[in-house]
Amino acid sequence: MNSTRNLIYLNLTISVKRLFISISKTMTPIKSSKRQQLIIAFQRMPIVVLAMIIFSLKINAQSSYWYGSLHSHSEYSDGNMGNDPDYHDVKSCYEYIQQNTLNVNYWGISDHNHSGAGMAIADYRKGVLEADSVNQDNVFTSFYGMEWGVISTGGHVIVHGIDSLIGWDNGNYDIFNGQSDYGGLFDLVAQRGNTAFAYLAHMEDTDFGNLLQVPYNAIWDSAIVGLALRNGPAFSTDTTYSSLPSYNYFDRYLDLLKKGYHVAPGIDHDNHYIVFGRTHPGRTVVISDSLNRESLMAAFKRRSFYASDDWNARVEFSINGFGMGSICSGPDNPEIKLYVSDPDGESITWLRMWVGVPGSGIMASSVVSMQGPGSDSLQFTNPIIPGQTFYYFAEITEADGDKIWTAPIWYTRGGNPPAFELLDFTAQRVGNQALLKWSTANEFNLDRFDIEKSTNTLLFTTAGNVNPTGGLGQIATYSWTDPQALDTSTYYRLNIVDNAGLSQFSQIKRVDPESPGSGFSIYPNPAGNEPAILSVSHNREEPFRMDIFNAEGKLVEDFIFMSSNGVIYIQLAANELSKGLYTIRISNSDYSFYESNRFIRY
């Protein structure tokens, strides 16, 4: 290393040390002790040691883990709400991030797409150019896009990779798309192929044109790469990395996966003040070979990213050599490997591996769970029969409570599934028995339909079988009645097996021994500072979710409880709610029960 380069590294080291000392003097106490220790360590660290660290970081710059966020705002829409005079454009926002925000390699600014939030088409075009001007390969990657939509008409979608403004305001768009037409938006993104993607922000269960209620759409699936599991706090002015979002959207992640969508999780900041990534240390971690737009865009498109509360944790997760986000197949059973490392030396206290069947309509469930020392890695083989497809993802908890959620891996064992079209499949109670009906088209070399049943959706047994009667160019209809009387909620599926022994499952259908019934009431209503009592009646035991929405439709609280065969009473701390009108909703895990009541806090 020549003397000029030595001088550069020395000056850089002094600047870094001064930066950390300056931050530490202005920081309020931080909950996470490891971050406070980091500041103190840099204050006390000798210059020469810092120089060695910086040189080490430079020579290891080809790390495949890149940290950042896709969602924040500039003054071109409703960002810079503090009206800081130094940050009136997109370029200065990116410069702030590079100079002030720790542990970021890329950042996305996604300004609102409509004039109601301040966007003008000329500003969007300037934002694109300014993002290009600060983008630098192997140093910092900038994404500029849009947050599309309005909360009151269906939710917000983050769109990156499209330089044209998509909108509905008269004269204020490059590409027209109706304000509530989310299907049209996803179609537009899908048409761009690998150069653009959609990412779902702070998702509620009726958002995006009731995406969770309408049939799965493969074109939309090709456009949507993921969703934010944490968002915000959008209007925080904290720059001490100590204000974690209080809510996560893990349930919506499960909902999308069971619907059949191939999505990965991320963490957003949604900053509306000039704080960009300094509110908390949560990051969306992208795995790619290089730090540049092309490489990161490709990684987002293949869902090779994960959500981490920890700003430098690394997760290695693979199935038979395929990495996070892969849709893959092989002749063998899936061999699952996972390893978590943290440069800060923080231990893993809990690790859970989830497994589910894509498109089954059934929530993923835990297949392996580990707690205590040694929970930073696991390796196991999950036996499945040829033709089966499962997805797997990990949920990880660190010693300080930080959470990490990985992208799934979708794995199919064996060759091609049986050739046929399953047109429909229903299951219903007739008397005290279950009646199953289904129809197919274009059967080819089918051997049999095995009818499988379960009382927990995890362990299925064969209850009967039916011989196929259809063929190419034909439609065949079938029915089967379970000879056993229903005495509990029972789940049924078809296992369609061909002459080569390969098989494919249908969706899972649930049949109850009696008509389901549920309801709830609130007393007193209205309520003041005294607790309100919710009485919930149901005729079986199962998990329920309660959601509380404010008058603007924003979720302010949610929790899970178990119903019983009868009435249970839940105490609601009304004094912890702001005064106003609320909607309280209860629903079970598959949304077959769904009821809402209005509640007033005065």
Side-chain angles (χ1 to χ4, degrees), residues 233-349:
F235 303 106
S236 174
T237 58
D238 181 18
T239 57
T240 66
Y241 304 96
S242 58
S243 298
L244 277 172
S246 58
Y247 178 75
N248 73 63
Y249 296 85
F250 182 63
D251 287 345
R252 300 292 78 78
Y253 184 42
L254 296 177
D255 287 339
L256 285 165
L257 292 173
K258 76 177 185 182
K259 190 81 176 178
Y261 286 95
H262 298 84
V263 289
I267 288 183
D268 284 347
H269 287 248
D270 196 5
N271 304 131
H272 287 72
Y273 286 85
I274 304 300
V275 294
F276 299 110
R278 299 179 66 189
T279 305
H280 60 82
R283 303 288 185 258
T284 298
V285 188
V286 187
I287 304 172
S288 71
D289 293 336
S290 304
L291 180 61
N292 57 61
R293 273 199 196 153
E294 182 181 7
S295 181
L296 265 63
M297 175 65 72
F300 277 117
K301 286 296 292 185
R302 65 175 182 265
R303 302 159 302 276
S304 186
F305 59 94
Y306 61 91
S308 177
D309 288 337
D310 188 298
W311 61 7
N312 58 0
R314 298 187 175 200
V315 181
E316 300 173 28
F317 173 38
S318 66
I319 294 180
N320 294 1
F322 296 99
M324 257 186 260
S326 298
I327 302 172
C328 50
S329 62
D332 302 317
N333 283 312
E335 184 180 0
I336 297 153
K337 296 180 180 179
L338 185 139
Y339 175 68
V340 188
S341 60
D342 188 334
D344 303 323
E346 194 167 4
S347 63
I348 306 302
T349 57

Side-chain angles (χ1 to χ4, degrees), residues 42-203:
F42 269 87
Q43 284 181 280
R44 298 175 177 175
M45 194 173 290
I47 293 281
V48 64
V49 176
L50 272 168
M52 292 172 63
I53 291 175
I54 291 172
F55 179 69
S56 174
L57 289 173
K58 185 172 181 67
I59 65 174
N60 289 297
Q62 294 304 311
S63 167
S64 60
Y65 291 76
W66 312 110
Y67 299 80
S69 173
L70 289 171
H71 183 185
S72 61
H73 299 278
S74 79
E75 195 170 305
Y76 288 168
S77 62
D78 58 351
N80 192 17
M81 296 186 74
N83 198 30
D84 191 316
D86 295 326
Y87 301 101
H88 285 317
D89 59 16
V90 165
K91 183 174 184 291
S92 59
C93 292
Y94 283 121
E95 290 171 346
Y96 172 95
I97 295 164
Q98 294 182 77
Q99 294 167 8
N100 297 282
T101 306
L102 301 177
N103 286 74
V104 294
N105 309 107
Y106 74 92
W107 200 264
I109 294 178
S110 46
D111 281 320
H112 289 275
N113 75 304
H114 57 94
S115 59
M119 173 56 70
I121 189 169
D123 286 337
Y124 188 79
R125 293 169 180 170
K126 285 194 293 184
V128 171
L129 294 175
E130 290 169 14
D132 289 344
S133 72
V134 301
N135 185 64
Q136 187 176 357
D137 289 354
N138 301 317
V139 176
F140 177 80
T141 299
S142 60
F143 287 94
Y144 186 75
M146 69 196 85
E147 183 177 22
W148 195 94
V150 178
I151 289 292
S152 61
T153 58
H156 286 160
V157 179
I158 307 302
V159 178
H160 283 292
I162 298 181
D163 292 345
S164 304
L165 182 62
I166 305 171
W168 57 80
D169 296 319
N170 187 28
N172 197 42
Y173 59 80
D174 295 302
I175 302 171
F176 176 80
N177 194 75
Q179 182 174 348
S180 301
D181 185 7
Y182 289 88
L185 175 70
F186 297 143
D187 288 341
L188 284 170
V189 175
Q191 289 168 13
R192 299 297 181 104
N194 290 329
T195 63
F197 63 81
Y199 172 86
L200 307 180
H202 39 74
M203 181 183 183

Side-chain angles (χ1 to χ4, degrees), residues 548-564:
I548 302 177
F549 301 89
N550 64 17
E552 286 75 41
K554 293 296 294 180
L555 183 71
V556 296
E557 187 174 342
D558 73 302
F559 58 91
I560 305 296
F561 65 94
M562 287 294 297
S563 69
S564 65

Side-chain angles (χ1 to χ4, degrees), residues 538-552:
H538 197 45
N539 59 1
R540 63 177 57 89
E541 294 183 4
E542 64 175 324
F544 261 73
R545 171 174 167 154
M546 179 174 294
D547 298 304
I548 302 177
F549 301 89
N550 64 17
E552 286 75 41

Side-chain angles (χ1 to χ4, degrees), residues 19 22 222 348 353 582:
L19 172 62
S22 174
S222 70
I348 306 302
M353 183 64 64
Y582 295 87

